[in-house]
Amino acid sequence: MLQRAGDPKAALKTYEAAAKEDRQSVEALSNLAVALNQTGQGGRAQAVLQRAQALDPQDPMTAALLRQVRENLAAEQDGARQKYIDDTVREYCERLGPGGGWVLGSSTSIMEGIPPENFVAMTRAVHKYGRYGALGT
């Protein structure tokens, strides 16, 4: 039985029970992946689910869990990228803002290969931090 209810302890117990029969079973690996994912170890959960999927490529539960873990990892990476952009723009505004006379932009256009969401994040951060007085300066 797969414990998906948001209880990593229950998933871990189910994993341990399934692992007694076969440590490398799809059921054991899936429950281990749930426990790992719910404790913030999405990368490890993805690797475990890929092993489970190799054992049974047709298992719909493993496929659904793997898709969910990948989506969560992508969202975390996107959030980290957005935070990096926000922090970088803030740093430039703090360093270059006092005294005025500077402009922050992407260039004369959005360069090829730049993800549009990065440009939008930069623009939002400029509006947030780029006004004189926005940072207390």
Side-chain angles (χ1 to χ4, degrees), residues 20 41 47 52 70 90 108 123:
K20 286 180 184 175
Q41 300 176 66
R70 286 179 176 155
R90 181 185 174 108
T108 57
T123 302

Side-chain angles (χ1 to χ4, degrees), residues 78-92:
D78 186 52
R81 182 177 56 245
Q82 300 295 325
K83 183 178 179 340
Y84 171 78
I85 292 168
D86 192 79
D87 290 347
T88 301
V89 169
R90 181 185 174 108
E91 178 186 338
Y92 280 119

Side-chain angles (χ1 to χ4, degrees), residues 6 9 13-14 25 27 29-30 41-42 45 50 54 58 67 69 72-73 84 86 92 100 107 110-111 115 117 128:
K9 289 181 182 177
K13 284 185 180 186
T14 306
S25 71
E27 181 182 3
L29 292 172
S30 296
Q41 300 176 66
Q50 287 170 337
Q58 302 304 315
R67 185 172 43 255
V69 167
N72 290 347
L73 286 171
Y84 171 78
D86 192 79
Y92 280 119
S107 179
I110 302 174
M111 304 301 289
E117 59 271 16
K128 185 174 171 183

